[in-house]
Amino acid sequence: MTPPSGVVLLTDRLVARGGLDLVVAGAVAGGVRWVVLREKDLPRAERAALAAGLRAILADVGGTLIVAGPDPLDGDAVHLPAAGPYPPPTHRLVGRSCHNQSELHRLTTEHYATVSPVWPTKTKPGYGPPLGPDGLRKLVEASPVPLLALGGVETPEHVTACIQAGAAGIAVLGALMRAQDPAETAATLTSAYAKAVTPELLQARAEAPRSPRRGLRPTVPTQGSSLTARSGHGRPQPSRATNEET
């Protein structure tokens, strides 16, 4: 499974205009193909039912639902918080929330990461300091995996700046969850992404060296053992987290 790119929608049913399923359906109609289901306060049965409904919406366009947390809710894609678990589970697609180079260096077998906040967020305006495009670029250069820019990404200009800084895509919560017309807003953001990803940019990324996965420990296989063993290091929970972090 390829890592997410383009515009990635993060859910929050408490702020979704008109209901979460309608917002997701509108965003998908506007070009979104990746959705991260949060809603971690729900009981598993309710959350699994919600996941099934969102997968049905995405199935019509070949999209993918990623579930925040180690439980994929009968799927095969998860997005983990910075604090754990370690080592990562062995699902087909695993992402992790990161905020600085130290956390990026601890990645092992994850396939992608989000970095935040790029700009101040309306969801949690006191969190920071914001990375800005320059800070995002530095994290892209330090990362062993593709990065999604998260936090305060609301306009086509924000999208363009993130992509030019090297992000593989943008992760959006408030701008889509609170949108009066999610389809129109999604179309505007996905169009900005498509315009920003030029052939020259893709060529430059293909030629750029990628930082090694410093958290991956070498293993000595024994007879009958797997050559794809995963390892990693735990770390304390960040002192604060935005509501846009999964």
PDB file of all heavy atoms in Angstrom, residues 74-107:
ATOM      1  N   ASP A  74     -10.728  -3.717  11.897  1.00  0.00           N
ATOM      2  CA  ASP A  74     -10.996  -4.651  10.800  1.00  0.00           C
ATOM      3  C   ASP A  74     -10.432  -4.180   9.468  1.00  0.00           C
ATOM      4  O   ASP A  74     -10.805  -4.717   8.411  1.00  0.00           O
ATOM      5  CB  ASP A  74     -12.505  -4.910  10.665  1.00  0.00           C
ATOM      6  CG  ASP A  74     -13.120  -5.417  11.964  1.00  0.00           C
ATOM      7  OD1 ASP A  74     -12.483  -6.268  12.608  1.00  0.00           O
ATOM      8  OD2 ASP A  74     -14.216  -4.951  12.328  1.00  0.00           O
ATOM      9  N   GLY A  75      -9.539  -3.206   9.504  1.00  0.00           N
ATOM     10  CA  GLY A  75      -8.860  -2.770   8.290  1.00  0.00           C
ATOM     11  C   GLY A  75      -7.393  -3.148   8.327  1.00  0.00           C
ATOM     12  O   GLY A  75      -7.007  -4.082   9.036  1.00  0.00           O
ATOM     13  N   ASP A  76      -6.571  -2.409   7.591  1.00  0.00           N
ATOM     14  CA  ASP A  76      -5.139  -2.729   7.558  1.00  0.00           C
ATOM     15  C   ASP A  76      -4.274  -1.479   7.519  1.00  0.00           C
ATOM     16  O   ASP A  76      -3.137  -1.513   7.045  1.00  0.00           O
ATOM     17  CB  ASP A  76      -4.812  -3.626   6.354  1.00  0.00           C
ATOM     18  CG  ASP A  76      -5.333  -3.056   5.038  1.00  0.00           C
ATOM     19  OD1 ASP A  76      -5.741  -1.879   5.019  1.00  0.00           O
ATOM     20  OD2 ASP A  76      -5.334  -3.786   4.031  1.00  0.00           O
ATOM     21  N   ALA A  77      -4.812  -0.344   8.013  1.00  0.00           N
ATOM     22  CA  ALA A  77      -4.048   0.902   8.016  1.00  0.00           C
ATOM     23  C   ALA A  77      -4.294   1.640   9.321  1.00  0.00           C
ATOM     24  O   ALA A  77      -5.443   1.826   9.725  1.00  0.00           O
ATOM     25  CB  ALA A  77      -4.446   1.778   6.830  1.00  0.00           C
ATOM     26  N   VAL A  78      -3.213   2.073   9.993  1.00  0.00           N
ATOM     27  CA  VAL A  78      -3.337   2.772  11.268  1.00  0.00           C
ATOM     28  C   VAL A  78      -2.414   3.984  11.289  1.00  0.00           C
ATOM     29  O   VAL A  78      -1.414   4.049  10.569  1.00  0.00           O
ATOM     30  CB  VAL A  78      -2.997   1.863  12.473  1.00  0.00           C
ATOM     31  CG1 VAL A  78      -3.958   0.702  12.570  1.00  0.00           C
ATOM     32  CG2 VAL A  78      -1.556   1.373  12.408  1.00  0.00           C
ATOM     33  N   HIS A  79      -2.792   4.940  12.142  1.00  0.00           N
ATOM     34  CA  HIS A  79      -1.934   6.096  12.395  1.00  0.00           C
ATOM     35  C   HIS A  79      -1.713   6.180  13.894  1.00  0.00           C
ATOM     36  O   HIS A  79      -2.672   6.268  14.673  1.00  0.00           O
ATOM     37  CB  HIS A  79      -2.579   7.381  11.879  1.00  0.00           C
ATOM     38  CG  HIS A  79      -1.657   8.557  11.986  1.00  0.00           C
ATOM     39  ND1 HIS A  79      -0.832   8.945  10.942  1.00  0.00           N
ATOM     40  CD2 HIS A  79      -1.418   9.413  13.003  1.00  0.00           C
ATOM     41  CE1 HIS A  79      -0.132   9.997  11.319  1.00  0.00           C
ATOM     42  NE2 HIS A  79      -0.459  10.295  12.575  1.00  0.00           N
ATOM     43  N   LEU A  80      -0.457   6.178  14.331  1.00  0.00           N
ATOM     44  CA  LEU A  80      -0.093   6.086  15.741  1.00  0.00           C
ATOM     45  C   LEU A  80       0.318   7.435  16.312  1.00  0.00           C
ATOM     46  O   LEU A  80       0.883   8.273  15.595  1.00  0.00           O
ATOM     47  CB  LEU A  80       1.063   5.092  15.910  1.00  0.00           C
ATOM     48  CG  LEU A  80       0.868   3.709  15.295  1.00  0.00           C
ATOM     49  CD1 LEU A  80       2.167   2.907  15.405  1.00  0.00           C
ATOM     50  CD2 LEU A  80      -0.279   2.979  15.972  1.00  0.00           C
ATOM     51  N   PRO A  81       0.091   7.646  17.601  1.00  0.00           N
ATOM     52  CA  PRO A  81       0.586   8.866  18.243  1.00  0.00           C
ATOM     53  C   PRO A  81       2.085   8.796  18.463  1.00  0.00           C
ATOM     54  O   PRO A  81       2.699   7.725  18.380  1.00  0.00           O
ATOM     55  CB  PRO A  81      -0.176   8.887  19.570  1.00  0.00           C
ATOM     56  CG  PRO A  81      -0.457   7.451  19.859  1.00  0.00           C
ATOM     57  CD  PRO A  81      -0.697   6.802  18.520  1.00  0.00           C
ATOM     58  N   ALA A  82       2.672   9.946  18.767  1.00  0.00           N
ATOM     59  CA  ALA A  82       4.120  10.005  18.961  1.00  0.00           C
ATOM     60  C   ALA A  82       4.583   9.120  20.108  1.00  0.00           C
ATOM     61  O   ALA A  82       5.694   8.589  20.091  1.00  0.00           O
ATOM     62  CB  ALA A  82       4.543  11.454  19.219  1.00  0.00           C
ATOM     63  N   ALA A  83       3.720   8.914  21.108  1.00  0.00           N
ATOM     64  CA  ALA A  83       4.135   8.203  22.309  1.00  0.00           C
ATOM     65  C   ALA A  83       4.167   6.686  22.166  1.00  0.00           C
ATOM     66  O   ALA A  83       4.688   6.001  23.030  1.00  0.00           O
ATOM     67  CB  ALA A  83       3.222   8.576  23.468  1.00  0.00           C
ATOM     68  N   GLY A  84       3.622   6.127  21.121  1.00  0.00           N
ATOM     69  CA  GLY A  84       3.650   4.675  20.994  1.00  0.00           C
ATOM     70  C   GLY A  84       2.459   4.152  20.225  1.00  0.00           C
ATOM     71  O   GLY A  84       1.664   4.943  19.728  1.00  0.00           O
ATOM     72  N   PRO A  85       2.316   2.861  20.113  1.00  0.00           N
ATOM     73  CA  PRO A  85       3.173   1.823  20.696  1.00  0.00           C
ATOM     74  C   PRO A  85       4.466   1.609  19.904  1.00  0.00           C
ATOM     75  O   PRO A  85       4.558   1.959  18.740  1.00  0.00           O
ATOM     76  CB  PRO A  85       2.293   0.576  20.608  1.00  0.00           C
ATOM     77  CG  PRO A  85       1.462   0.811  19.380  1.00  0.00           C
ATOM     78  CD  PRO A  85       1.173   2.287  19.376  1.00  0.00           C
ATOM     79  N   TYR A  86       5.435   1.031  20.588  1.00  0.00           N
ATOM     80  CA  TYR A  86       6.711   0.628  19.996  1.00  0.00           C
ATOM     81  C   TYR A  86       6.974  -0.824  20.356  1.00  0.00           C
ATOM     82  O   TYR A  86       6.768  -1.196  21.511  1.00  0.00           O
ATOM     83  CB  TYR A  86       7.852   1.507  20.521  1.00  0.00           C
ATOM     84  CG  TYR A  86       7.835   2.886  19.936  1.00  0.00           C
ATOM     85  CD1 TYR A  86       7.145   3.917  20.563  1.00  0.00           C
ATOM     86  CD2 TYR A  86       8.488   3.159  18.741  1.00  0.00           C
ATOM     87  CE1 TYR A  86       7.106   5.183  20.020  1.00  0.00           C
ATOM     88  CE2 TYR A  86       8.467   4.435  18.190  1.00  0.00           C
ATOM     89  CZ  TYR A  86       7.774   5.433  18.836  1.00  0.00           C
ATOM     90  OH  TYR A  86       7.739   6.686  18.290  1.00  0.00           O
ATOM     91  N   PRO A  87       7.436  -1.621  19.395  1.00  0.00           N
ATOM     92  CA  PRO A  87       7.587  -1.313  17.972  1.00  0.00           C
ATOM     93  C   PRO A  87       6.226  -1.156  17.298  1.00  0.00           C
ATOM     94  O   PRO A  87       5.199  -1.566  17.846  1.00  0.00           O
ATOM     95  CB  PRO A  87       8.327  -2.540  17.436  1.00  0.00           C
ATOM     96  CG  PRO A  87       7.927  -3.645  18.346  1.00  0.00           C
ATOM     97  CD  PRO A  87       7.803  -3.022  19.711  1.00  0.00           C
ATOM     98  N   PRO A  88       6.209  -0.582  16.090  1.00  0.00           N
ATOM     99  CA  PRO A  88       4.930  -0.399  15.394  1.00  0.00           C
ATOM    100  C   PRO A  88       4.300  -1.740  15.041  1.00  0.00           C
ATOM    101  O   PRO A  88       4.991  -2.735  14.849  1.00  0.00           O
ATOM    102  CB  PRO A  88       5.337   0.350  14.112  1.00  0.00           C
ATOM    103  CG  PRO A  88       6.694   0.897  14.381  1.00  0.00           C
ATOM    104  CD  PRO A  88       7.349  -0.038  15.325  1.00  0.00           C
ATOM    105  N   PRO A  89       2.971  -1.782  14.960  1.00  0.00           N
ATOM    106  CA  PRO A  89       2.309  -3.014  14.520  1.00  0.00           C
ATOM    107  C   PRO A  89       2.635  -3.299  13.053  1.00  0.00           C
ATOM    108  O   PRO A  89       3.091  -2.426  12.318  1.00  0.00           O
ATOM    109  CB  PRO A  89       0.819  -2.708  14.715  1.00  0.00           C
ATOM    110  CG  PRO A  89       0.737  -1.217  14.643  1.00  0.00           C
ATOM    111  CD  PRO A  89       2.005  -0.704  15.242  1.00  0.00           C
ATOM    112  N   THR A  90       2.365  -4.511  12.636  1.00  0.00           N
ATOM    113  CA  THR A  90       2.740  -4.939  11.288  1.00  0.00           C
ATOM    114  C   THR A  90       1.556  -4.905  10.336  1.00  0.00           C
ATOM    115  O   THR A  90       1.231  -5.903   9.697  1.00  0.00           O
ATOM    116  CB  THR A  90       3.346  -6.356  11.325  1.00  0.00           C
ATOM    117  OG1 THR A  90       2.386  -7.242  11.939  1.00  0.00           O
ATOM    118  CG2 THR A  90       4.626  -6.385  12.107  1.00  0.00           C
ATOM    119  N   HIS A  91       0.914  -3.753  10.239  1.00  0.00           N
ATOM    120  CA  HIS A  91      -0.168  -3.595   9.272  1.00  0.00           C
ATOM    121  C   HIS A  91       0.400  -3.161   7.925  1.00  0.00           C
ATOM    122  O   HIS A  91       1.566  -2.762   7.819  1.00  0.00           O
ATOM    123  CB  HIS A  91      -1.184  -2.577   9.781  1.00  0.00           C
ATOM    124  CG  HIS A  91      -1.786  -2.934  11.106  1.00  0.00           C
ATOM    125  ND1 HIS A  91      -2.432  -4.141  11.321  1.00  0.00           N
ATOM    126  CD2 HIS A  91      -1.827  -2.255  12.280  1.00  0.00           C
ATOM    127  CE1 HIS A  91      -2.851  -4.187  12.573  1.00  0.00           C
ATOM    128  NE2 HIS A  91      -2.495  -3.068  13.177  1.00  0.00           N
ATOM    129  N   ARG A  92      -0.439  -3.201   6.909  1.00  0.00           N
ATOM    130  CA  ARG A  92       0.025  -2.844   5.562  1.00  0.00           C
ATOM    131  C   ARG A  92       0.414  -1.380   5.451  1.00  0.00           C
ATOM    132  O   ARG A  92       1.257  -1.021   4.628  1.00  0.00           O
ATOM    133  CB  ARG A  92      -1.055  -3.164   4.525  1.00  0.00           C
ATOM    134  CG  ARG A  92      -1.278  -4.652   4.288  1.00  0.00           C
ATOM    135  CD  ARG A  92      -2.309  -4.852   3.212  1.00  0.00           C
ATOM    136  NE  ARG A  92      -1.879  -4.265   1.947  1.00  0.00           N
ATOM    137  CZ  ARG A  92      -2.697  -3.968   0.941  1.00  0.00           C
ATOM    138  NH1 ARG A  92      -3.997  -4.160   1.076  1.00  0.00           N
ATOM    139  NH2 ARG A  92      -2.234  -3.458  -0.175  1.00  0.00           N
ATOM    140  N   LEU A  93      -0.189  -0.526   6.275  1.00  0.00           N
ATOM    141  CA  LEU A  93       0.148   0.896   6.253  1.00  0.00           C
ATOM    142  C   LEU A  93       0.156   1.416   7.677  1.00  0.00           C
ATOM    143  O   LEU A  93      -0.833   1.286   8.412  1.00  0.00           O
ATOM    144  CB  LEU A  93      -0.868   1.673   5.421  1.00  0.00           C
ATOM    145  CG  LEU A  93      -0.598   3.171   5.284  1.00  0.00           C
ATOM    146  CD1 LEU A  93       0.696   3.407   4.515  1.00  0.00           C
ATOM    147  CD2 LEU A  93      -1.756   3.875   4.591  1.00  0.00           C
ATOM    148  N   VAL A  94       1.279   2.003   8.080  1.00  0.00           N
ATOM    149  CA  VAL A  94       1.434   2.521   9.437  1.00  0.00           C
ATOM    150  C   VAL A  94       2.027   3.923   9.364  1.00  0.00           C
ATOM    151  O   VAL A  94       3.089   4.132   8.759  1.00  0.00           O
ATOM    152  CB  VAL A  94       2.353   1.625  10.300  1.00  0.00           C
ATOM    153  CG1 VAL A  94       2.520   2.215  11.693  1.00  0.00           C
ATOM    154  CG2 VAL A  94       1.793   0.211  10.372  1.00  0.00           C
ATOM    155  N   GLY A  95       1.341   4.883   9.962  1.00  0.00           N
ATOM    156  CA  GLY A  95       1.859   6.235  10.070  1.00  0.00           C
ATOM    157  C   GLY A  95       2.019   6.629  11.522  1.00  0.00           C
ATOM    158  O   GLY A  95       1.567   5.925  12.425  1.00  0.00           O
ATOM    159  N   ARG A  96       2.676   7.758  11.740  1.00  0.00           N
ATOM    160  CA  ARG A  96       2.872   8.224  13.121  1.00  0.00           C
ATOM    161  C   ARG A  96       2.904   9.750  13.149  1.00  0.00           C
ATOM    162  O   ARG A  96       3.410  10.386  12.225  1.00  0.00           O
ATOM    163  CB  ARG A  96       4.174   7.665  13.707  1.00  0.00           C
ATOM    164  CG  ARG A  96       4.283   7.912  15.212  1.00  0.00           C
ATOM    165  CD  ARG A  96       5.558   7.336  15.795  1.00  0.00           C
ATOM    166  NE  ARG A  96       5.665   5.899  15.756  1.00  0.00           N
ATOM    167  CZ  ARG A  96       5.102   5.049  16.612  1.00  0.00           C
ATOM    168  NH1 ARG A  96       4.337   5.519  17.591  1.00  0.00           N
ATOM    169  NH2 ARG A  96       5.288   3.758  16.514  1.00  0.00           N
ATOM    170  N   SER A  97       2.381  10.310  14.228  1.00  0.00           N
ATOM    171  CA  SER A  97       2.445  11.750  14.449  1.00  0.00           C
ATOM    172  C   SER A  97       3.811  12.121  15.008  1.00  0.00           C
ATOM    173  O   SER A  97       4.271  11.524  15.977  1.00  0.00           O
ATOM    174  CB  SER A  97       1.357  12.187  15.437  1.00  0.00           C
ATOM    175  OG  SER A  97       0.070  11.958  14.911  1.00  0.00           O
ATOM    176  N   CYS A  98       4.439  13.124  14.396  1.00  0.00           N
ATOM    177  CA  CYS A  98       5.737  13.616  14.865  1.00  0.00           C
ATOM    178  C   CYS A  98       5.709  15.141  14.897  1.00  0.00           C
ATOM    179  O   CYS A  98       4.876  15.773  14.247  1.00  0.00           O
ATOM    180  CB  CYS A  98       6.865  13.135  13.956  1.00  0.00           C
ATOM    181  SG  CYS A  98       7.140  11.339  13.979  1.00  0.00           S
ATOM    182  N   HIS A  99       6.655  15.699  15.647  1.00  0.00           N
ATOM    183  CA  HIS A  99       6.682  17.152  15.807  1.00  0.00           C
ATOM    184  C   HIS A  99       8.079  17.735  15.696  1.00  0.00           C
ATOM    185  O   HIS A  99       8.227  18.956  15.612  1.00  0.00           O
ATOM    186  CB  HIS A  99       6.093  17.540  17.166  1.00  0.00           C
ATOM    187  CG  HIS A  99       4.773  16.905  17.431  1.00  0.00           C
ATOM    188  ND1 HIS A  99       4.647  15.634  17.972  1.00  0.00           N
ATOM    189  CD2 HIS A  99       3.514  17.335  17.204  1.00  0.00           C
ATOM    190  CE1 HIS A  99       3.363  15.324  18.074  1.00  0.00           C
ATOM    191  NE2 HIS A  99       2.660  16.329  17.621  1.00  0.00           N
ATOM    192  N   ASN A 100       9.107  16.905  15.700  1.00  0.00           N
ATOM    193  CA  ASN A 100      10.478  17.404  15.665  1.00  0.00           C
ATOM    194  C   ASN A 100      11.413  16.322  15.135  1.00  0.00           C
ATOM    195  O   ASN A 100      11.000  15.182  14.896  1.00  0.00           O
ATOM    196  CB  ASN A 100      10.915  17.853  17.064  1.00  0.00           C
ATOM    197  CG  ASN A 100      10.669  16.776  18.108  1.00  0.00           C
ATOM    198  OD1 ASN A 100      11.091  15.627  17.958  1.00  0.00           O
ATOM    199  ND2 ASN A 100       9.971  17.127  19.182  1.00  0.00           N
ATOM    200  N   GLN A 101      12.679  16.684  14.949  1.00  0.00           N
ATOM    201  CA  GLN A 101      13.646  15.739  14.384  1.00  0.00           C
ATOM    202  C   GLN A 101      13.868  14.542  15.291  1.00  0.00           C
ATOM    203  O   GLN A 101      14.057  13.415  14.809  1.00  0.00           O
ATOM    204  CB  GLN A 101      14.984  16.453  14.127  1.00  0.00           C
ATOM    205  CG  GLN A 101      14.947  17.428  12.971  1.00  0.00           C
ATOM    206  CD  GLN A 101      16.332  17.902  12.575  1.00  0.00           C
ATOM    207  OE1 GLN A 101      17.326  17.224  12.842  1.00  0.00           O
ATOM    208  NE2 GLN A 101      16.397  19.058  11.943  1.00  0.00           N
ATOM    209  N   SER A 102      13.857  14.753  16.592  1.00  0.00           N
ATOM    210  CA  SER A 102      14.078  13.641  17.511  1.00  0.00           C
ATOM    211  C   SER A 102      13.041  12.552  17.306  1.00  0.00           C
ATOM    212  O   SER A 102      13.374  11.358  17.274  1.00  0.00           O
ATOM    213  CB  SER A 102      14.047  14.150  18.957  1.00  0.00           C
ATOM    214  OG  SER A 102      14.176  13.082  19.873  1.00  0.00           O
ATOM    215  N   GLU A 103      11.789  12.942  17.161  1.00  0.00           N
ATOM    216  CA  GLU A 103      10.736  11.953  16.955  1.00  0.00           C
ATOM    217  C   GLU A 103      10.853  11.298  15.583  1.00  0.00           C
ATOM    218  O   GLU A 103      10.609  10.094  15.438  1.00  0.00           O
ATOM    219  CB  GLU A 103       9.375  12.609  17.135  1.00  0.00           C
ATOM    220  CG  GLU A 103       9.110  12.998  18.571  1.00  0.00           C
ATOM    221  CD  GLU A 103       7.774  13.694  18.767  1.00  0.00           C
ATOM    222  OE1 GLU A 103       7.131  14.060  17.767  1.00  0.00           O
ATOM    223  OE2 GLU A 103       7.393  13.870  19.938  1.00  0.00           O
ATOM    224  N   LEU A 104      11.240  12.056  14.573  1.00  0.00           N
ATOM    225  CA  LEU A 104      11.423  11.477  13.239  1.00  0.00           C
ATOM    226  C   LEU A 104      12.550  10.456  13.234  1.00  0.00           C
ATOM    227  O   LEU A 104      12.466   9.425  12.552  1.00  0.00           O
ATOM    228  CB  LEU A 104      11.709  12.578  12.221  1.00  0.00           C
ATOM    229  CG  LEU A 104      10.539  13.484  11.861  1.00  0.00           C
ATOM    230  CD1 LEU A 104      11.024  14.647  11.001  1.00  0.00           C
ATOM    231  CD2 LEU A 104       9.447  12.704  11.127  1.00  0.00           C
ATOM    232  N   HIS A 105      13.599  10.724  13.987  1.00  0.00           N
ATOM    233  CA  HIS A 105      14.742   9.811  14.024  1.00  0.00           C
ATOM    234  C   HIS A 105      14.404   8.486  14.702  1.00  0.00           C
ATOM    235  O   HIS A 105      15.118   7.501  14.541  1.00  0.00           O
ATOM    236  CB  HIS A 105      15.922  10.474  14.734  1.00  0.00           C
ATOM    237  CG  HIS A 105      16.540  11.578  13.943  1.00  0.00           C
ATOM    238  ND1 HIS A 105      17.418  12.492  14.490  1.00  0.00           N
ATOM    239  CD2 HIS A 105      16.403  11.920  12.636  1.00  0.00           C
ATOM    240  CE1 HIS A 105      17.788  13.348  13.548  1.00  0.00           C
ATOM    241  NE2 HIS A 105      17.189  13.021  12.434  1.00  0.00           N
ATOM    242  N   ARG A 106      13.333   8.448  15.464  1.00  0.00           N
ATOM    243  CA  ARG A 106      12.937   7.217  16.146  1.00  0.00           C
ATOM    244  C   ARG A 106      12.044   6.324  15.286  1.00  0.00           C
ATOM    245  O   ARG A 106      11.676   5.227  15.703  1.00  0.00           O
ATOM    246  CB  ARG A 106      12.217   7.563  17.452  1.00  0.00           C
ATOM    247  CG  ARG A 106      13.159   8.146  18.500  1.00  0.00           C
ATOM    248  CD  ARG A 106      12.384   8.752  19.645  1.00  0.00           C
ATOM    249  NE  ARG A 106      13.291   9.222  20.694  1.00  0.00           N
ATOM    250  CZ  ARG A 106      12.953  10.068  21.648  1.00  0.00           C
ATOM    251  NH1 ARG A 106      11.717  10.534  21.690  1.00  0.00           N
ATOM    252  NH2 ARG A 106      13.819  10.444  22.560  1.00  0.00           N
ATOM    253  N   LEU A 107      11.675   6.791  14.109  1.00  0.00           N
ATOM    254  CA  LEU A 107      10.857   5.970  13.225  1.00  0.00           C
ATOM    255  C   LEU A 107      11.640   4.736  12.788  1.00  0.00           C
ATOM    256  O   LEU A 107      12.847   4.793  12.554  1.00  0.00           O
ATOM    257  CB  LEU A 107      10.436   6.777  11.988  1.00  0.00           C
ATOM    258  CG  LEU A 107       9.550   8.001  12.245  1.00  0.00           C
ATOM    259  CD1 LEU A 107       9.335   8.769  10.948  1.00  0.00           C
ATOM    260  CD2 LEU A 107       8.222   7.588  12.855  1.00  0.00           C
TER     261      LEU A 107
END
